[in-house]
Structure formats: structure tokens, C-alpha cells
Amino acid sequence: MCKKLQFPEGKIKKIIGQCITITGDDIDTDRIIPARFLKCVSFNNLGDQVFADDREELKGSHPFDQEQNKNASILIVNDNFGCGSSREHAPQALMRWGIRGIIGESFAEIFYGNCISLGIPCATSDKRTIQNIQKNILTRPERIWELKIKELSFHSKGFNYKIKIENGPLEMFQTGRWDGTSQLVAQTEKLNKKLKTLPYLNHFKDVKL
């Protein structure tokens, strides 16, 4: 995988890009990233292994191997996506492949939470709408779509769908609160001032034993 990726950070207002679709209900985390890859020391190379067993079985015809999908950034799925074990490796693998947003009928709760913590919005819509979106993507994989967070819309030329994102995550993406690291960096000055007031980090020379 030679993609040069920029990972999510700060406020997330919209995601623009091509779409890739995986059809079928109850796609679990072991299919997204097989258990043998959990031994990795870091997440860096997991993008190459996403859906590894499915891709091996389909020998190049899996959506994640098809040339027209190589630049896709929005994943369209069906019901109960990400069920099974709670491994963070699943959304990490998807993110490192290039996925920046997911739209489906529903998501497993822990997978959903892991996606939020990585800055990957997971939006939902009804079965008929999702199937319609998947059909349009398969017909025109080169089409560019836009997922708007605040407006709760997913659209392309000639198509406009309403989507749902839970209120808590919706507010977190709009304000950037999902991104704990960036929030800490933004508060560096305040943190340094606070550190100077902590007696157990300062004035050790004044302590008499």
C-alpha cells in the first residue's frame, strides 16, 4: 500500500471522496482484521491487512483490491457492522487503508466508540437508503460524494440522502472534542503553568529529610 495518508485531527465538518461498499450484515472485527495481526507492535501496517482473509479468498476481486476503489475514503456497509470482539485494530486498519467516514444501517457499539476516538464519523440510514447508495456506487465508482456532518447529509450530483449521527458524537466532531491529543496540545501553556504549581514536581531542593 503506497498511499500517503493524513490522519483525522481537530474539527471534522465534512468528508469528500469516492466511496467503497462492502455488502452483507454482521461483518465482524475478525473479518475486518484477522486475529493473527493483533500481535503487531504498532498499528502502522494494518491498512495492508484489512479484510486479509476475504481478499485472499477472492484473489483480487475484493472491493479493497479493485483499482477503481484505491482512493476511496467513505465506506458504505449494511447492518451490525463491526460486531464481535472489541479490538481497536479494526477501525485502525480501516483508517490506515484510507477510510475517513462510514455509513451503514447500524454499527456494533464498541466498534462505533472506537471509530469516534479515531475521528471516523459513523452515520446511519435505513436499509432501503443504504442499498440504494450501494447500488449507485457500484454503478459509478468514480463518482465523488460529500458527507456533511452538521447538515447530516450525504450527496453527489443528482443524489441527496439524509443520514443520522448521534447527538454526542455529532457535537464532538463539530467541536474537535473527539481529538484528545489536539486538545492537550492546544492547552500547552495552561498545562505548563499548572505543572509549576504542583509541589511533587517542583521545589525538591526545599524538602528536608
Side-chain angles (χ1 to χ4, degrees), residues 28-30 38 82-88 90 110-111 114:
D28 62 31
T29 53
D30 194 51
L38 305 191
C83 58
S85 69
S86 60
R87 63 190 65 164
E88 183 189 356
I110 297 177
F111 175 86
N114 285 336

Side-chain angles (χ1 to χ4, degrees), residues 35-103:
R36 64 184 178 277
F37 297 111
L38 305 191
K39 300 176 184 178
C40 61
V41 177
S42 74
F43 297 124
N44 291 340
N45 297 318
L46 285 184
D48 293 338
Q49 313 303 335
V50 67
F51 291 108
D53 291 343
D54 289 3
R55 292 163 73 179
E56 174 64 24
E57 183 178 344
L58 293 176
K59 301 187 183 304
S61 62
H62 189 276
F64 275 72
D65 285 322
Q66 294 175 351
E67 182 68 19
Q68 70 265 27
N69 296 327
K70 67 179 183 179
N71 294 317
S73 57
I74 303 171
L75 174 62
I76 312 298
V77 297
N78 295 108
D79 190 47
N80 198 30
F81 187 78
C83 58
S85 69
S86 60
R87 63 190 65 164
E88 183 189 356
H89 298 67
Q92 283 279 2
L94 290 169
M95 181 180 71
R96 291 170 189 280
W97 187 88
I99 297 303
R100 294 292 173 268
I102 310 176
I103 302 175

Side-chain angles (χ1 to χ4, degrees), residues 19-170:
C19 292
I20 183 171
T21 182
I22 298 290
T23 58
D25 297 338
D26 305 313
I27 293 177
D28 62 31
T29 53
D30 194 51
R31 284 184 63 187
I32 298 171
I33 188 69
R36 64 184 178 277
F37 297 111
L38 305 191
K39 300 176 184 178
C40 61
V41 177
S42 74
F43 297 124
N44 291 340
N45 297 318
L46 285 184
D48 293 338
Q49 313 303 335
V50 67
F51 291 108
D53 291 343
D54 289 3
R55 292 163 73 179
E56 174 64 24
E57 183 178 344
L58 293 176
K59 301 187 183 304
S61 62
H62 189 276
F64 275 72
D65 285 322
Q66 294 175 351
E67 182 68 19
Q68 70 265 27
N69 296 327
K70 67 179 183 179
N71 294 317
S73 57
I74 303 171
L75 174 62
I76 312 298
V77 297
N78 295 108
D79 190 47
N80 198 30
F81 187 78
C83 58
S85 69
S86 60
R87 63 190 65 164
E88 183 189 356
H89 298 67
Q92 283 279 2
L94 290 169
M95 181 180 71
R96 291 170 189 280
W97 187 88
I99 297 303
R100 294 292 173 268
I102 310 176
I103 302 175
E105 296 172 46
S106 70
F107 301 92
E109 184 176 357
I110 297 177
F111 175 86
Y112 184 88
N114 285 336
C115 284
I116 292 172
S117 68
L118 294 176
I120 303 175
C122 291
T124 60
S125 193
D126 62 89
K127 180 183 289 290
R128 184 174 180 179
T129 297
I130 295 297
Q131 290 178 341
N132 195 1
I133 293 172
Q134 289 175 324
K135 180 180 178 181
N136 290 330
I137 291 167
L138 291 173
T139 302
R140 292 277 304 277
E142 77 282 0
R143 185 187 296 272
I144 300 298
W145 294 79
E146 184 172 7
L147 168 58
K148 287 190 173 182
I149 304 300
K150 182 179 179 180
E151 293 81 358
L152 294 175
S153 69
F154 181 63
H155 66 90
S156 183
K157 187 175 181 180
F159 299 97
N160 189 25
Y161 300 100
K162 295 301 293 181
I163 57 173
K164 297 178 182 178
I165 299 176
E166 294 178 9
N167 288 336
L170 182 65

